[in-house]
Amino acid sequence: MEVRFTLNGAERVLAVEPRRTLLDALRHDVQLTGTKKVCDMGDCGACTVLVDGRAVYSCLTLVVDCAGREVTTIEGLGEGGELDPVQRAFIEADAFQCGFCTPGQIMSLRGLLNEHPAASDEQIVRAVSGNLCRCGAYQNIVRAGRLAAGRA
Amino acid sequence: MPVLRVAKKRGEDGKEQVEASEVVNLPRWEANEAFSVVGKGLPRVEGAEKVTGRAVYAYDVRLPGQLYARVLRSPHPHARIRRIDTSRAAALPGVRAVLSSADETGITWYQEECPLFDTTLRLVGDEVAAVAADSEEIADDALRLIEVEYEPLPFVRALTAAQRPDAPKIHAGGNVAGEPQEYARGNVEAGFRQAEVIIDEEYTTATAMHNALEPHGGTAMWEGGRLTLWCSTQSVFDVREQVAQKLGVPAHRVRVIKQFMGGGFGAKQVAWKQDVIAALLARRSGRPVQLMLDRHAENLVAGTRNATQQRVRLGAKRDGTLTAIEAEIALETGAYQVGGEASNVAGVYQELYRCANVRTEQTAFYTNYGPTVAFRAPGYVEGAFALETAMDQLARELGMDPLDLRLKNYAGEDQQGGKPYTLPEGLRACYDRATGVFGWRGYRKPPAEGTKRRGVGLAASSWMGGSGHPPGYAWVKLNGDGSADVVTGTQDIGTGTRTGLTQVAAEELGFPMERVTLHLGDTGNGPYSPVSSGSATQPTIGPAIRAAALDAKRQLLEVAAELLDASPEVLSVRDGKIEIAGKPGEGVPVEKITGQIAPHMILGQGARGANPEDKTIRTFGAQCAEVEVDTATGEVTVLRVVASADCGRIINPTMVESQMVGGVTQGFGFALMEERVRDGRYGMPLNANLEEYKVPTVADIPRIEHAAVGIPDLEANPTGAKGVGEPPLIPTAPAIANAIYDAVGVRLYETPFNRRRLLEALAARGRAGDEGIRVASAATLEEAIGLLGRDGDGAIRPLAGGTDLLTLIKGDLVAPSRLIDIKRVPELASGIAEGDGGVTIGGADAALGDRDEHADPRAIHRADRGGGTGGDAATAEHGDDRWESAPATALLVFPQPVLPVLAEGGRGVPGARGGESAARDLRHEPVRGDAPVRPGDGAGGAGCAGAPARGGRGAGGAAGRVLRAADGGASHRDDAGRWGDRDGGRVARECRGDAEHLREGDGPEGVGVRAGRRGGGTAGGGRAHRRRAPGAGGRRAGAGAGRGGGARVGGCRAG
C-alpha cells in the first residue's frame, strides 16, 4: 500500500507492505542506514527517530502509521552542513566508541531537547535510559546531553 | 625501513620450521620525550561520520540487486534431521537461493570439522537451512515453508552434567573439549603443609553474552571469480584466509572490508558460518547477499563467555606470605570449539602473585549450547573473580588490609618464564593510583542507615594481552599537497584505533593531525595486520606506523635538504613545516617541498619488530569499589569505582578513559546483571535477547573514575604504549564482591550477584542460625513429610515452593531452616498436593509436570523469535509456556509458624492455592514502604493488558516493552509509542536477578549442593513472577489456570 509522509523535510511516497516497519522502510526502501537495527523489538533504542518531533522506536512503528506525519532521522539533523548541537556535543564529550548506538542516542536527546531545551541531568538520563550502549559510554552520553542543553 | 630476517630451525618435534621477524631500527620515544600531539585527548577522527549516520557498517551495505538471507535454526539442543524438504521455500516468489544439508557443500566448520549444514544438530540455533530472498520478510516467509523432521537426542544441559560419566556424548571423542591444561611450579602440597591459613572455596561464573549491538554477519558479492565480503569482524585478514580456505579459492580472490563495526568484544575475531553461507548464497543466486544475524541468533550461535566452576585453594603464613595457590577449573565450551583467542582462566593464578608453589588444571567441556568464544579478557575475568575474592577472604582471616596482603605478595617478574616484566613496578603504580584516588587508606565507613550498609573492596588484575602481536605493517604516502596517507591492514573495532594511530603518525611525521588520513580495514588495500584482539592493536600497529612515518620523514628531509641546500641532519619537521636547526620560526611548509617533486611521491614503509625475548610484557590493573547494600532487599548499589591500568604511555587520554570506563561498565554488568538463563529441560536459552538479558543501562552505572597511570613501557615497544581494551573489565567483579563483603559480611561465590544470591547468603549467615539451611532430597511424599521432622517443641511447617519462597525471603518475611527437594516426588509432580494439617504444599512444579503434551520445542522456538514478522497466536501461547517452565523444585520449611502478617491475610499460607498474589500484596506496603515497585508487582500485567496492538509484529515488540517497563516499575508509555524510561536501572537489574532458575540444569545436585553450602534455596526462580498480573493466576494457582493467566501476559510479547 502507499504511504505519504515527510522525511527529513522532504515529502516521500512509499509503496510498502502493511507489515513494513518504519525502521525497515528507512533502511531498505529509502536506504537511510544511519538508523540502526539491533534488537528489532523495542529493547535497545538504536532505531530511535523523531516522529512529529518526538522520539519513537522505529522498529515498533509501522510505516503506514506515519502517513501525514513528519519523520526525522539522524541524516536529517543539522542545517546547512552544520552539525546539530547534540551531534557536536557527542564528539566533544567522546560520547561513543563503536558508534552503533549513537544515532539512536542522539535522536533520543534531540527529542528531549525539543521539549526541554535546558533539560536536567535527570531528564537526560531518563531520555536515554531506553538506549543501550554496549561499549559503556554512558557517562559521556550524559555529559554530551548536558553540553547540548547548555549546562556545561 | 624494516629488514626481514628469516631462519630455518628444527622444532621440538624434529620438523623444520621457518622463523621470521623484522628488524626495525626505531628509536624509543623516551620517558621525557616532548610531544606535540601524542598525549593529547583529541576527539575521535571519525566522529563526524558516527554522529551523522554516515559511517557505513557491514549491516549498512546496500548494493544493486542485493538479497537478504535468513537462517532456519535448530529448535532442539541435540537432534538428527530425519528429513528436510526445502522445495516449497524455493518455490516462493522472491526466493533466489536455498541451502541446506541436502546440498553437498563439502565445507566443514568448527574445530570438530562438522559439515556446514550438518544432519546432526548440537544446539538450539544450529544451522538447518538458509534462504536468500528479495527482502528479509520474504526470506522469513520462506523459512516457515521448510519442512523438517527432527529426531531429538539426549543432550547435555549444563557444565555439571557434562562431567558426569553417563552424559550423552556430543562429539565422538566424548565431552572433554581439547586437552586439559595443567600447569605446576614448585610443590603445591608442600606449600599447603607450610601454610598456617588455608582458604578453600568454590566459585561459579555465569555465561555472559557479548551482545555487541551490531550482530555478526556481512554482505558477500562475487565479481567473476572474486569475492568481496563486507564483514563485521575484528580481523579482516583472518576472515580472508579462513573464508578462502573454506570456499576453496585462493586468498587473493577474496577481499574483506570492514570500515566500521558495531562492537565485537572478542566474538568477531574468526570467520563464522554466516560469512561463508552468504558467499555461497551469493554465488548460487548471482546476486550480492547480506546475511546479518538477528538478535536471537546472535545470542544463540555467535559466541558467549564461558561459564566456569573453579575450586581455589590458597595457603599462607600468618604474615600473609603465600605458600601455595591451586586452582581446578572446569569451563563450558558449548557444542563446538571456535578457535581464536583462548580462554585462559588459569593464567591469573599463575602470575598475579609471588608464590613458589602453584598448580592449575583447566578442563573444558562440551555442552549442547552455543559455542563460547573470547569475550574481552577471556578467562582472566572469570579467574580474577575467584582468585581476588579468595585473596580478600585470606586478608580477612589474617586481619590484614587487603592492599597490604597484595603488596606483601607482589610479583615483579614472570614466574612462569623466569623473566622480569618489562615494567616491574606497573602493578604497584596501579595500586597506588587506584587506592590513592579512591581514598582507600583513609576510608571511614559511614554508619548504617536503616537496612543500608556501605563497604569498600579492592581487586587487582593481570592480563596476558596488551603487548602486541607482530608482525604488522604500515605504509605512509606523502602527497604533493603536504598531506599524508597512512595505510595499514588493521581495523578499528570502536576502541579509538583510528585516532590513536593517526596521532602516532602525525607525531612522527611532524604533521598536523588534519593533514594525516588513516586507511584501514581492507585486505585489498592495506598490508597485513593481525586480529584486533588481546588489546594488541595500538602496541602492534603503533610502532609499525611510527616506523613507516620515520622512513617517509627521512626521505622527505633528504629531498628538502637538496632543495633547500642544507644538510638533512640539521632539518626537522614540525607542525607541517621543515625547520632548519638554529632558525626557529623560519620553517618551509612541507607542500613547498613535496609540491615541487609531485607527482613523484615519497613512500615510507614500516613494520612491527619482535617483542623482547628476555622480558615478559603484561598489563596490570587495580580497582576499588564502594557499594551500598540493602539487607532488606538484597539490592546492591555500586556508588563508585576507581580504576587504574598499566597500559604504558597514554597516546590519547580521552580514548583511554573511554576504554577504562566502558570496560568497568561491562565488568559491572558481569558482576551484577549478566547471565544467560536456560531451560534445562528443553536445552533452550531463555533470554537470548536484549529484553531479558540485562546489560547495564545509563541508569544502572556507578560513577566510574579512571586513575591514570601512564608510565611509558619502553621495554615493551618503542612507542611505550600498551593496549587497554581488556584490562579494565578484569578486576571489577571481585572489587564489587569484596565491597559487598565489607558492607554486610557475606561472601558471594557465584556471578552475577543478584538479589537472590545476596539474600540467600544473608539468610544463611544470619537469621537461619549458625547451621544455615539444611538440604535434603525426597523421593516420596512420605519421605518428604518425614524429612520435615520436628524442631524443638514446635512442628516444622511447610511453607512454600521455590518461587514463592524467593519473594518471601526477599521481603524479609521468613527465615528458612530446611530445604527439601521434592522434584522427584511423584505425588507432587502434577502440581498441587495436600499436606497434612490442612496446609497446602505448593512445591513441585505444576506447569512443568503438566506441560509435556504441549511442549513442542519448535513452537516455542518460533515464538521466541520475537520481533520476527507475524507469528501466530498458537505458537505465542506455547512460547509463553516457557516462562511457566520455571520449576519450583524445592520446598522450604521454616521453624516457626507462618508469619502473622501473612496468615492474617485470610488467604491462607503463601504458596497455597490462590494465595500467592494476596501474599505479595500484603508484603508490599509494610515491607517495602516507598521502595521501587518490584518485579512481578503487576505493572507488567496491567500495562500489557492495556497495550494496543500495533499490527502483528508491532504488538510483539510493544508488549516486550511493556514488560520491560514493568521491570522498571515507574515507566509508562507515552502517546508516541515510546517507553518513557526504565526507571531505576537498579530495578531493571534486580529483575535480572530474578531470572535465576535452572542455571545449572534442573538436577537436584546442582541445586542442593550449592544451596546447602552457601545457604539458601536456589531452586525455582522468580521469572514467572514478573510476568504475572496480580490475581491473574499464576503457576501456583493450578496448572491450567497458571498457563491461562500467565500465557495471557507473556503471550503479548510474541503475539
Side-chain angles (χ1 to χ4, degrees), chain A residues 36 55 94 126 134 138-139, chain B residues 44 60 658 696 704 978 981:
Chain A
K36 302 302 183 202
D94 202 42
R126 187 180 168 83
R134 193 52 163 154
Y138 294 123
Q139 284 189 173
Chain B
R44 282 171 208 264
D60 300 332
S658 286
I704 303 166
R978 176 176 164 72
D981 84 275

Side-chain angles (χ1 to χ4, degrees), chain B residues 286-299:
Chain B
R287 306 261 290 265
V289 170
Q290 182 167 91
L291 173 50
M292 302 298 295
L293 301 189
D294 62 19
R295 183 55 39 186
H296 188 232
E298 176 71 13
N299 280 325

Side-chain angles (χ1 to χ4, degrees), chain B residues 315-492:
Chain B
K317 296 280 194 188
R318 275 271 152 218
D319 68 357
T321 306
L322 286 169
T323 59
I325 299 174
E326 185 178 48
E328 289 169 1
I329 300 152
L331 59 85
E332 181 176 348
T333 290
Y336 305 103
Q337 295 184 76
V338 169
E341 200 178 357
S343 175
N344 184 6
V345 182
V348 71
Y349 294 97
Q350 297 160 6
E351 65 194 23
L352 186 53
Y353 295 108
R354 168 178 297 282
C355 183
N357 308 303
V358 177
R359 193 184 78 85
T360 63
E361 187 184 310
Q362 175 176 321
T363 310
F365 295 91
Y366 291 118
T367 61
N368 286 107
Y369 295 92
T372 58
V373 70
F375 187 167
R376 209 165 174 178
Y380 276 64
V381 170
E382 300 90 317
F385 159 62
L387 172 62
E388 285 299 274
T389 309
M391 282 295 283
D392 196 72
Q393 195 168 335
L394 177 62
R396 300 279 174 168
E397 294 267 337
L398 296 168
M400 287 178 80
D401 183 324
L403 175 59
D404 291 332
L405 177 65
R406 288 176 169 86
L407 292 172
K408 175 94 188 167
N409 294 287
Y410 191 86
E413 73 285 324
D414 167 17
Q415 299 163 85
Q416 303 160 70
K419 295 188 279 190
Y421 289 130
T422 52
L423 196 63
E425 294 302 299
L427 176 57
R428 198 181 306 277
C430 292
Y431 285 133
D432 287 349
R433 290 288 294 143
T435 59
V437 170
F438 186 82
W440 175 265
R441 293 288 194 193
Y443 180 80
R444 298 180 75 86
K445 201 184 282 194
E449 279 181 44
T451 54
K452 293 181 175 171
R453 309 276 185 277
R454 285 207 189 177
V456 294
L458 167 71
S461 62
S462 62
W463 173 233
M464 62 198 289
S467 52
H469 299 158
Y473 303 90
W475 298 317
V476 170
K477 305 189 281 185
L478 300 188
N479 303 309
D481 64 357
S483 67
D485 287 295
V486 179
V487 187
T488 173
T490 192
Q491 44 276 310
D492 186 344

Side-chain angles (χ1 to χ4, degrees), chain B residues 12 61 115 201 222 243 286 314 392 440 445 451 462 488 583 691 738 745 758 842 958 1025:
Chain B
E12 283 174 14
V61 170
E201 294 292 351
W222 290 92
V243 166
L314 302 179
D392 196 72
W440 175 265
K445 201 184 282 194
T451 54
S462 62
T488 173
K583 297 181 181 174
E691 180 193 347
N738 295 339
L758 190 55
H1025 288 276

Side-chain angles (χ1 to χ4, degrees), chain B residues 677-679 686 882 885-887 994-999 1020-1021 1023:
Chain B
V677 179
R678 53 194 172 189
D679 180 334
L686 295 177
R882 65 207 169 93
S885 67
D994 280 324
E996 285 310 312
H997 58 84
L998 278 172
R999 52 172 276 107
R1023 170 63 77 187

Side-chain angles (χ1 to χ4, degrees), chain B residues 534-568:
Chain B
S535 306
T537 306
Q538 185 74 36
T540 305
I541 303 303
I545 284 180
R546 242 199 91 198
L550 185 62
D551 187 30
K553 184 169 73 176
R554 180 184 52 75
Q555 298 173 58
L556 171 66
L557 293 181
E558 282 169 6
V559 172
E562 187 67 35
L563 298 182
L564 297 175
D565 299 322
S567 149

Side-chain angles (χ1 to χ4, degrees), chain B residues 629-636 753-756 758-759 762 810:
Chain B
V629 180
D630 189 329
T631 56
T633 63
E635 182 176 335
V636 177
F753 323 136
N754 54 38
R755 291 163 47 122
R756 176 176 68 76
L758 190 55
L759 286 165
L762 284 168
K810 288 177 180 183

